[in-house]
Amino acid sequence: MKIRIIFLVLMVLSYCIIVSCSEETKSQEYNPTPYELVLPASLPKPKLPEDNPLTVEGIKLGNKLFFDDLLSGDNTMSCSGCHNQKHAFTDNELALSLGIHKEEGKRNSMPIFNMFYHNNGFFWDGRAASLREQSLMPIQDPLEMDETLENVVKKLKATKEYPQLFFNAFGTTEINPLRISLALEQYMFTLVSGNSKYDRYQAGTDQFTESEKRGFDLFFAERDPIPFIKGGDCFHCHSGPNFTNNEYMNNGLDEFFVDLGLGAVTKKASDNGKFKVPSLRNVQVSGPYMHDGRFKTLEEVLDHYNSGVVDSPTLDANMHGALLGLKLNEQEKTDIINFLKTLTDEEYLTNLEYKKNTD
Amino acid sequence: MKKYYLALFLSIFIFACSEDDDIDIITQKVNLNVEIKHYFNDKMIEFDTETYLNEFGNELSVSKLRYLISDITLTKKDGSIKEFENQYVYIDPSRNRDTFTLYGVDVGDYTNITYNIGVDSTTNHSDPTLFDADHPLSLIVHNLHWGWIDGYIFFSLEGNLHYMGNKQLFTYHLGFDRNLKTISIDQNYSISENNILSLQFDLAKLFKSPNLIDQSNEAFITHSVNDNGYSDRLVQNLEGAFTLKGIIQNEN
């Protein structure tokens, strides 16, 4: 009897010691390293969500997830399948992206950089309010990665490395959709573009050619009817340091809308045909253009603005001049395109830190 | 001797108390919430969907109404003023951005509120990229800007005129240093805790007085140059468009 009790006590004690020991080693290991987002002077200081501080470990996990085929239904496709760094994280020159079933989606893939400035929703139609919310949607979209979050969690749990990576990032080996989305959000926040020729020109460390200068002036000029002054009016919408006003607007592509855009989300007729104004940074490499990829080249885009704008009930007031015709000649269109090309940021397009982490 | 100590002790006590009371009465400070409600006559503006008749008889709809506020000043009954020098406000009722907070406002009676629509010349021509991305003057927050030389668009109104089944887009962008407009409202009001100071902007008045405006006979696009003085007339009308509805109690 006595022996039994002693044995029992010993067992309980040793169990306690084991548990406390293992817990101790774990809590020692969870020590994430804060990551400081370094921005060039041309980019204003962003406000990042306070409940998801950037850490080296969180970003590393996000990077791994972004490039991992396990996130798709048949384990063949990762986020990077439609978001390739060399094309400013858009698709590989496809108008409409192909999902795992090789079916076309509805829309053209969007670039990913400077996401911390997007203060008014994500996707062409703004249906995701935050980046973390956005990040889980392609996984579940039947025309994209077509997988359930439950399965993703199951698959990640079954791997050797993920539980440890989640622990390093969040202090728990427990994998859930929220933590997946937080890690993806962290990784995407680190993709920064602010070192283009335009930025260097603004900083006084690089020169524009005559054509780029003329294009710059036209881009930022108001087209005036009386007396007639040429201008592109572009800056009203593609405004500010990220070349977008973060709004949803109708830039006169269609008289009748096949895709209602923002209107399908808000269910308001006054939002029909409105799409997110895309940033024009890196636009040289992110074609084809517009929400449905209808224009292959920047020349086609300029032809649209110059003489192809059509009226519709929700056409934006800032398209007024373009609706009447910008009356740009070939040289002036080329000048604007040459200016747009100064927004290409080689550092961002080739930055090794953004690539798939291999260690 | 004992009495003396007692008196000293008591006097300190009384002195301390009365000083405390003084602080309470004279300088109790609160954070004052300010709201601006946007109307067309007696109706709240519905963006894009609703049409309105202005005084002249033009039928219009509004898609965007946006502006910048700066140099807010409150005048107390005793004549002293409280200026909020470095506070800038961006208003966009179409996105429910129509409230802001004035921090550290004295409780008490006031006789005037004054503010500018637009920003002062120095700020107007400073580098807009230097503001943090969530600052009201950052171009990440809005697109009220023409580039460094011309500066900020102080007030922007965009919409459509409707006539005989047709529509005509209009874009009024008001700015440049000369168009910085001071709105000064003389009215008595008292501020205490948990108050909201409620302002009202009536778009109908922008087309009404002192300049009666026929929109169909004015520039459809103005960015405050070469418009036969249209932008200046609109800016003149701005002053009467704002009224102080009063103080309301915050329910929360």
Side-chain angles (χ1 to χ4, degrees), chain A residues 204-216:
Chain A
T205 59
D206 207 335
Q207 296 288 314
F208 269 1
T209 65
E210 285 307 311
S211 171
E212 287 163 353
K213 241 185 252 161
R214 287 194 302 267
F216 173 96

Side-chain angles (χ1 to χ4, degrees), chain A residues 44-45 47 117 119-120 222 224 235-236 239-240 245-247 249 270 311-312 315-318 320, chain B residues 48-49 64 66 95 129 131-134 139-140 143 145-146 158 167-171 173 220-221 223:
Chain A
K45 197 167 143 254
K47 199 172 155 89
Y117 293 145
N119 56 23
N120 191 26
E222 303 247 17
D224 247 347
F235 75 103
H236 285 298
S239 59
N245 56 7
N246 291 320
E247 295 199 37
M249 292 177 145
S270 56
D311 203 0
S312 59
L315 183 71
D316 193 84
N318 292 296
H320 193 170
Chain B
D48 289 308
T49 47
K64 289 176 214 133
R66 289 153 182 198
R95 275 166 71 177
T129 64
F131 297 110
D132 285 358
D134 57 343
L139 304 187
I140 295 291
N143 61 344
H145 202 264
W146 282 307
E158 298 173 12
K167 69 180 181 77
Q168 168 66 54
L169 289 165
F170 66 83
T171 313
H173 289 173
F220 294 129
I221 305 176
H223 45 98

Side-chain angles (χ1 to χ4, degrees), chain B residues 118-140:
Chain B
V119 297
D120 65 80
S121 174
T122 314
T123 311
N124 200 23
H125 305 292
S126 62
D127 181 351
T129 64
L130 297 180
F131 297 110
D132 285 358
D134 57 343
H135 190 280
L137 295 182
S138 166
L139 304 187
I140 295 291

